[in-house]
């Protein structure tokens, strides 16, 4: 059974940093691309970032480019999202997502809430 | 960036009715289109991929169609458990983009 468990969310002040982690199990982590998708309170889904299976290339939404860094540790079956210079508009539930061929999401984590507020 | 537009924003439907949701892309995405279902307080679930392939766990009353810029999600006979928000997403090109969602609510 595929499981994706996010951790690291919480309340952070504007301008601060936070690192989200996603522990993956139930599939061969090194063989699949991964993504983060976020959802602001009462809003729709927004793609944040994706990383190729080997972890050698990442892609970012313009809204987070230069502030967020996505990495993948295939030896630990863990995905990381380093978020710097956080803004109020980054407040959202962040979902860890397993990508299938073509980067659609076939499995989702339960989400981690990030609240950016003073 | 490819903009995905879903219509209508909200659909009020009675159980047993046939439902058609629309998703339009601002440029061709070929068949690189997925649909997700999200219920309140839950993570989304993959419903359709490749525009028309149904994901594991969803019954045959759900079907997807279309290619290029026009896509449709059809629920042949709406059941109580189908009331949810439905999102489309293109994965033809970066950045990946989602539609704004269609809420299917009880009439």
């Amino acid at each position: 059974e595929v499981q994706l468990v996010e951790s690291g969310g919480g309340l952070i002040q504007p301008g601060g940093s936070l690192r989200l982690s996603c522990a993956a199990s139930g599939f061969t982590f090194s063989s699949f691309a991964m993504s983060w998708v976020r959802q602001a309170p009462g809003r729709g889904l927004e793609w944040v970032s994706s990383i190729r299976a080997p972890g050698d290339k990442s892609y970012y939404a313009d809204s987070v480019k230069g502030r967020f860094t996505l990495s993948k540790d295939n030896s630990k079956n863990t995905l990381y999202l380093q978020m710097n210079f956080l803004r109020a508009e980054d407040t959202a539930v962040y979902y860890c997502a397993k990508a299938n061929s073509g980067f659609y999401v076939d499995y989702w984590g339960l989400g981690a809430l990030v609240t950016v507020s003073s | 960036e490819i903009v995905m537009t879903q219509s209508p924003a909200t659909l009020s439907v009675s159980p047993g009715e046939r439902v058609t949701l629309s998703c339009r892309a601002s440029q061709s995405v070929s068949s690189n289109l997925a649909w997700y279902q999200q219920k309140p307080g839950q993570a989304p679930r993959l419903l359709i991929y490749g525009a028309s392939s149904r994901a594991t766990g969803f019954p045959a009353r759900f079907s997807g169609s279309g290619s290029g810029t026009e896509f449709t999600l059809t629920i042949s006979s709406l059941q109580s458990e189908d009331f949810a928000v439905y999102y489309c997403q293109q994965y033809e090109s970066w950045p990946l983009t989602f539609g704004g969602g269609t809420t299917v609510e009880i009439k």
Side-chain angles (χ1 to χ4, degrees):
Chain A
E1 178 193 5
V2 172
Q3 286 199 321
L4 302 170
V5 180
E6 302 94 338
S7 60
L11 175 63
I12 187 75
Q13 291 189 339
S17 297
L18 210 56
R19 188 177 82 160
L20 298 181
S21 299
C22 172
S25 61
F27 64 102
T28 305
F29 186 71
S30 59
S31 297
F32 291 92
M34 298 291 293
S35 298
W36 288 94
V37 176
R38 69 185 180 184
Q39 187 169 35
R43 306 295 296 274
L45 301 173
E46 179 189 15
W47 171 75
V48 174
S49 181
S50 296
I51 189 166
R52 286 162 39 100
D56 58 344
K57 185 171 177 60
S58 300
Y59 305 85
Y60 299 93
D62 284 347
S63 58
V64 306
K65 198 172 295 182
R67 300 188 299 123
F68 290 12
T69 301
L70 182 57
S71 60
K72 189 175 189 275
D73 189 335
N74 287 332
S75 68
K76 295 182 178 179
N77 288 356
T78 303
L79 184 71
Y80 301 102
L81 183 67
Q82 178 66 42
M83 303 184 293
N84 298 330
F85 306 108
L86 283 161
R87 307 166 179 168
E89 54 265 36
D90 294 319
T91 294
V93 173
Y94 285 72
Y95 293 105
C96 174
K98 173 184 173 289
N100 208 312
S101 57
F103 286 94
Y104 65 87
V105 176
D106 58 358
Y107 290 95
W108 300 72
L110 294 180
L113 177 61
V114 173
T115 303
V116 184
S117 175
S118 55
Chain B
E1 171 177 325
I2 299 176
V3 177
M4 307 301 292
T5 303
Q6 291 187 242
S7 62
T10 304
L11 203 52
S12 297
V13 187
S14 300
E17 286 189 21
R18 180 184 181 87
V19 172
T20 301
L21 283 61
S22 174
C23 175
R24 175 175 293 178
S26 61
Q27 62 191 78
S28 178
V29 300
S30 186
S31 293
N32 295 314
L33 191 284
W35 290 92
Y36 303 93
Q37 178 193 67
Q38 187 178 34
K39 296 181 179 180
Q42 296 184 16
R45 284 179 65 195
L46 176 66
L47 171 56
I48 298 286
Y49 61 94
S52 61
S53 297
R54 196 169 52 252
T56 303
F58 282 95
R61 64 178 180 271
F62 291 92
S63 63
S65 63
S67 67
T69 62
E70 300 283 344
F71 300 88
T72 299
L73 174 68
T74 300
I75 310 172
S76 60
S77 177
L78 199 73
Q79 303 300 301
S80 58
E81 60 266 30
D82 302 335
F83 291 98
V85 181
Y86 294 85
Y87 295 95
C88 62
Q89 178 227 332
Q90 67 80 19
Y91 49 97
E92 168 70 13
S93 66
W94 304 102
L96 307 181
T97 47
F98 288 88
T102 292
T103 299
V104 177
E105 63 179 25
I106 300 174
K107 187 173 184 178

